[in-house]
Amino acid sequence: MNSLHEKLNQIKSKMKQCDFSNQSVSCKVLETIVKIAGTAPSGANCQPWTYVLVKDEEIIQSISSESLYIVVLFKQNYGVGKNKEIIKHYYAHESACLSGGMFLAGLHYASIDYKLLPIDPSLNGILKRPKHEKPVLCLSIKGNNTKQGKLEPELDEYYELMRKRRSIRRFQPQSFDKNIIHQMIELVHTLIKDDGYRFVVVDESSKKEKIRNASEQNEKRLYKELISDEWRKALKPLGTNWEKPHLTEAPYLIVVFSKSRSSKTMAGIASGMLIQILHYIGLSTLTYTPSPMKFLNEILDISLEEKPLMVLPVGFKDETFQSLNIKRKKLKEFYIKQW
């Protein structure tokens, strides 16, 4: 258990650094952080995101002045195959936001100063992005810390750690200090400074049982009556079914709520940050999106004005569980430079 506390203190120390300067951030550093963002979980592993890194001064001036770079994250509402066939994406918005959260967490780890910018519909035109892509995150890179010399190898090591992250569907019953969960949530709140979302920690066996029972009832109906052939085909490589043992095996569930429709994006970004921190300190999780989700409001006594986004079971991986060897996109498949 001490290792969890030690790792948590390490990541808190790294991400809370505020020693910013006007030193330029290298393109390689930002590309490594984009690669880290590319390790985020996504619906049916569709990885529906595109990152555009802008250094062209004229384009930067049209978006925001006084920036070293502009980074825009687009969600892909659907994919386009080699033969221009349409490939459906599942949970595209949530998945892109999780990736965005991991990108922001990477910036904090590298002590890179940034500013979130408003999402402007004209970004598609300015950056020449296709109509099936929509911007979900836009930020200005302003400078970084004074440790540029050793930053690149340190980030490479961090990426190698994040590259090993996998969604885990079976957990050990072993528990750990609940305060670790609350400290991670507090860290995310500190970094994001947004109150449009809520993390609810569930550790009572009775509540976890209720969540599992309600989820499995919905899942049985989904797999029996509602699922399309296309969706079934997309899920087949993941080996999922209606049974959700992780909801009672994991010592903790973190249920993510957005407090309004407009805060759904920030709730997803906060969740992506949290997932990265969980993996860093040595804990495993899974992004579970039951459908429908209103039963979570009832079980947890949360107003229906707040919308459940996902459930994150958290714990130690059951060593008998075989993680899937999923294929992730290469950087060139989701990253574009405009110089």
Side-chain angles (χ1 to χ4, degrees):
M1 296 304 107
N2 288 337
S3 63
L4 290 181
H5 285 283
E6 290 168 3
K7 285 286 190 179
L8 178 57
N9 288 333
Q10 287 174 12
I11 196 72
K12 286 168 69 174
S13 176
K14 288 290 296 182
M15 290 191 168
K16 285 186 175 181
Q17 288 185 44
C18 297
D19 183 21
F20 299 128
S21 73
N22 290 323
Q23 288 193 47
S24 179
V25 183
S26 75
C27 178
K28 184 178 184 301
V29 163
L30 291 176
E31 286 180 351
T32 302
I33 297 174
V34 172
K35 289 199 297 183
I36 290 169
T39 68
S42 61
N45 194 37
C46 58
Q47 302 165 68
W49 46 69
T50 299
Y51 283 85
V52 181
L53 175 61
V54 182
K55 195 177 181 181
D56 182 286
E57 291 186 6
E58 186 175 338
I59 297 177
I60 287 177
Q61 288 296 321
S62 69
I63 299 173
S64 172
S65 60
E66 299 181 3
S67 299
L68 296 173
Y69 301 93
I70 296 289
V71 179
V72 183
L73 165 62
F74 290 85
K75 67 175 178 181
Q76 301 171 357
N77 289 319
Y78 57 86
V80 180
K82 293 181 179 179
N83 299 317
K84 297 186 177 180
E85 72 276 18
I86 300 300
I87 301 171
K88 185 174 177 58
H89 284 165
Y90 300 93
Y91 297 103
H93 188 81
E94 293 86 345
S95 300
C97 292
L98 289 173
S99 178
M102 295 191 78
F103 182 78
L104 294 189
L107 292 177
H108 282 283
Y109 186 85
S111 295
I112 293 174
D113 191 16
Y114 68 89
K115 178 183 178 181
L116 294 179
L117 303 175
I119 298 297
D120 190 326
S122 66
L123 286 170
N124 277 71
I126 293 172
L127 300 177
K128 298 179 173 60
R129 300 312 304 150
K131 64 180 181 180
H132 69 277
E133 295 187 357
K134 299 297 179 185
V136 296
L137 186 65
C138 181
L139 52 98
S140 163
I141 303 295
K142 305 181 73 176
N144 85 310
N145 67 13
T146 57
K147 300 176 182 178
Q148 181 75 16
K150 70 174 186 178
L151 183 56
E152 289 183 8
E154 188 175 356
L155 264 182
D156 287 340
E157 184 178 338
Y158 191 61
Y159 164 67
E160 287 302 317
L161 173 64
M162 292 303 145
R163 189 173 63 85
K164 298 173 184 176
R165 188 209 60 78
R166 293 292 184 273
S167 295
I168 301 302
R169 291 180 169 80
R170 299 305 298 264
F171 293 85
Q172 297 179 28
Q174 178 186 1
S175 190
F176 55 90
D177 184 1
K178 185 178 180 179
N179 188 47
I180 289 175
I181 298 284
H182 288 301
Q183 286 188 58
M184 287 188 289
I185 290 172
E186 182 182 352
L187 176 57
V188 172
H189 288 333
T190 300
L191 298 178
I192 289 187
K193 298 180 177 64
D194 186 280
D195 60 359
Y197 64 92
R198 182 205 297 257
F199 291 134
V200 179
V201 182
V202 182
D203 62 347
E204 294 178 35
S205 297
S206 60
K207 288 186 177 179
K208 290 195 293 180
E209 192 71 42
K210 287 179 181 178
I211 290 173
R212 178 177 176 178
N213 289 340
S215 296
E216 291 185 336
Q217 286 180 17
N218 289 337
E219 295 286 343
K220 282 181 181 179
R221 183 164 179 255
L222 170 67
Y223 278 88
K224 186 177 180 180
E225 303 174 17
L226 303 179
I227 194 169
S228 66
D229 291 340
E230 186 179 26
W231 194 357
R232 193 184 300 276
K233 181 179 179 181
L235 291 176
K236 187 176 181 180
L238 304 180
T240 59
N241 58 31
W242 64 267
E243 296 179 288
K244 306 299 171 189
H246 48 266
L247 295 174
T248 48
E249 287 178 348
Y252 301 102
L253 303 179
I254 302 176
V255 185
V256 186
F257 289 86
S258 61
K259 294 185 178 180
S260 66
R261 182 178 294 274
S262 61
S263 64
K264 183 178 179 180
T265 296
M266 197 53 68
I269 288 171
S271 301
M273 269 195 171
L274 183 60
I275 289 169
Q276 190 174 122
I277 296 167
L278 284 165
H279 181 69
Y280 180 88
I281 73 169
L283 292 169
S284 296
T285 190
L286 163 75
T287 51
Y288 173 53
T289 50
S291 180
M293 298 193 199
K294 284 185 179 180
F295 68 87
L296 291 166
N297 296 74
E298 181 179 348
I299 293 172
L300 301 176
D301 194 25
I302 302 292
S303 167
L304 289 174
E305 292 181 0
E306 299 187 31
K307 305 301 180 184
L309 190 69
M310 66 186 69
V311 180
L312 303 175
V314 176
F316 296 104
K317 173 188 172 183
D318 185 330
E319 295 305 322
T320 65
F321 177 76
Q322 296 296 315
S323 301
L324 295 172
N325 186 23
I326 62 171
K327 182 179 179 181
R328 291 196 172 111
K329 291 180 179 179
K330 296 178 181 178
L331 181 64
K332 64 181 181 180
E333 295 180 89
F334 64 93
Y335 167 67
I336 296 165
K337 291 193 294 186
Q338 295 201 3
W339 248 231

